[in-house]
Amino acid sequence: MSFAPFDWIDAEARSRATAGLVRTLRPRGAEPELLDLASNDYLGLTRHPEVTAAAAGAARRWGAGATGSRLVTGSTVLHAQLERELAAFCGFEAALVLSSGYAANLAALTALTGRGSLIVSDAGNHASIVDGCRLSRAGTAVVPHADPDAFEKALREHDGRALAVTDSVFSVDGDAAPLPALAEVCRSANAALVVDDAHGLGVLGEGGRGALAATGLAGRDGVVATLTLSKSLGSQGGAVLGPARVIDHLVNTARTFIFDTGLAPAAAGGALGALGVLRREPERAARAREVATALFTRLTAAGLRAVRPDAAVVSVRAPSADAAVRWAADCRAAGMAVGCFRPPSVPDGVSRLRLTARADLTEEQITTAVATVLATAPRQADVPVR
């Protein structure tokens, strides 16, 4: 009898192909060849000379890698500086830097919960939050999107330690969570509130200080934020921000911090460089929002269905998964990169193009982007929207 333990993969691959859900890696060159409305470089800082110089300088001084976990040899003076500056910029008492935003969410959710506790999670939350809930061993209640009453009901029905978790800005549609209402629900239920501010940092709040600063929740005792350094700050890595006792607890208990190699010095240096640029040029945050509004206004005026953006993500509905893939491919052929969200990445089953509004886009580039999306748009009558 032949030994073929992976034959089942072929069947799954055929199913994905039939459903139009095949994903493909597309390596890009070092120099931009397309108008970029697909990345998360909201402030246009990834190639900023100060940011790249800071990253290169950190690599030359500290080496290419962190050399070990943060608790062994992977913590440098640079990491400590980044943690102080992130906490101060966003309005929190302390911060802890990890190797990715994904790892930051896993750290917060697994270390702050456990068996017998409850996590209440918004149905639209990012996959890293979903995985954090699964790994936490806590009970998890997934509630309807952006519904404070549903959060309240789930928390009221639980007797014991509890935590509510939400994206600040949801990555699929770009809409903002009702943070003040959720904070009040958590306060009444004596529950913690964890907010993934990956898409808010650099875009929302005064000078880009994030959604929690914008809503007056930064620094509150029961509030924890998670961040990524790979979007507005143009680098790589993640962080958890909150009360000092929470950060100390994570240092001692969060497995994705304890057992992972520390963030590479170049990434820490790049993030610090980006923070410096943002402090000096706070208008970049408002410009990113302005570009998002312009894209939304012009596309919807032309008849496309889009979600009004609360930050820098502009989500445009497609008739089907296949149509979304073709639309994104046609945009690429026309010289522009856009995101393409399909099931299972979208919880409601509605496929979309996702456009990134960047602070460094010119008026000419905005006009070109709108014209490209409209010229390549599938007819809405081709396939019924689902």
Side-chain angles (χ1 to χ4, degrees):
M1 189 171 100
S2 63
F3 183 64
F6 296 128
D7 280 358
W8 59 273
I9 291 178
D10 299 331
E12 291 211 354
R14 288 191 294 270
S15 295
R16 282 195 296 272
T18 300
L21 298 178
V22 175
R23 287 158 169 80
T24 305
L25 292 174
R26 189 181 290 109
R28 61 179 175 84
E31 297 303 320
E33 299 175 354
L34 303 171
L35 177 59
D36 177 20
L37 273 81
S39 75
N40 293 315
D41 188 18
Y42 296 138
L43 301 183
L45 294 180
T46 295
R47 292 174 176 271
H48 192 286
E50 288 186 34
V51 177
T52 56
R60 283 193 295 268
R61 181 176 184 188
W62 298 99
T67 76
S69 69
R70 290 288 308 277
L71 290 172
V72 184
T73 59
S75 285
T76 69
V77 171
L78 198 63
H79 291 82
Q81 180 185 354
L82 178 56
E83 286 165 345
R84 289 193 302 272
E85 293 200 17
L86 279 172
F89 183 76
C90 296
F92 285 85
E93 187 177 8
L96 187 66
V97 167
L98 294 92
S99 60
S100 71
Y102 211 109
N105 273 337
L106 297 187
L109 293 174
T110 57
L112 297 178
T113 61
R115 286 192 176 96
S117 59
L118 173 70
I119 299 175
V120 185
S121 178
D122 190 291
N125 279 341
H126 187 263
S128 57
I129 294 176
V130 174
D131 288 350
C133 292
R134 291 170 176 168
L135 291 171
S136 70
R137 302 182 182 180
T140 300
V142 179
V143 296
H145 177 53
D147 186 345
D149 291 338
F151 274 88
E152 181 180 24
K153 182 176 185 295
L155 290 169
R156 189 171 59 243
E157 292 174 350
H158 176 74
D159 183 18
R161 182 154 46 109
L163 174 155
V165 60
T166 182
D167 286 352
S168 65
V169 176
F170 294 91
S171 61
V172 173
D173 275 339
D175 57 319
L179 293 183
L182 292 177
E184 179 57 29
V185 165
C186 289
R187 188 197 64 77
S188 298
N190 196 33
L193 175 62
V194 174
V195 179
D196 180 351
D197 204 20
H199 298 277
L201 176 66
V203 179
L204 299 179
E206 182 184 355
R209 283 172 169 75
L212 290 157
T215 51
L217 298 176
R220 288 199 185 180
D221 189 54
V223 176
V224 169
T226 61
L227 306 173
T228 180
L229 313 179
S230 63
K231 294 180 172 59
S232 287
L233 297 185
S235 184
Q236 191 169 358
V240 182
L241 284 67
R245 60 179 175 172
V246 169
I247 300 306
D248 288 343
H249 178 71
L250 264 63
V251 168
N252 285 278
T253 61
R255 294 174 67 85
T256 55
F257 174 79
I258 296 171
F259 298 106
D260 193 16
T261 298
L263 183 66
L272 278 165
L275 272 176
V277 174
L278 183 53
R279 284 196 192 94
R280 191 178 68 248
E281 301 174 10
E283 66 275 6
R284 284 179 180 259
R287 174 59 181 168
R289 299 194 303 270
E290 180 183 303
V291 172
T293 299
L295 290 169
F296 167 80
T297 301
R298 298 179 197 182
L299 291 171
T300 53
L304 294 183
R305 297 174 59 192
V307 178
R308 182 176 295 278
D310 287 322
V313 172
V314 181
S315 176
V316 185
R317 297 291 180 100
S320 68
D322 286 341
V325 172
R326 291 195 304 271
W327 197 356
D330 289 344
C331 284
R332 174 172 288 273
M336 184 174 73
V338 298
C340 177
F341 276 34
R342 302 166 282 161
S345 298
V346 286
D348 58 7
V350 178
S351 296
R352 301 154 165 87
L353 290 193
R354 199 190 82 151
L355 312 181
T356 297
R358 296 201 334 265
D360 60 339
L361 289 178
T362 66
E363 289 302 318
E364 181 181 0
Q365 288 173 320
I366 295 170
T367 299
T368 297
V370 171
T372 302
V373 171
L374 293 176
T376 56
R379 293 183 302 159
Q380 296 297 307
D382 285 347
V383 185
V385 174
R386 68 173 187 268

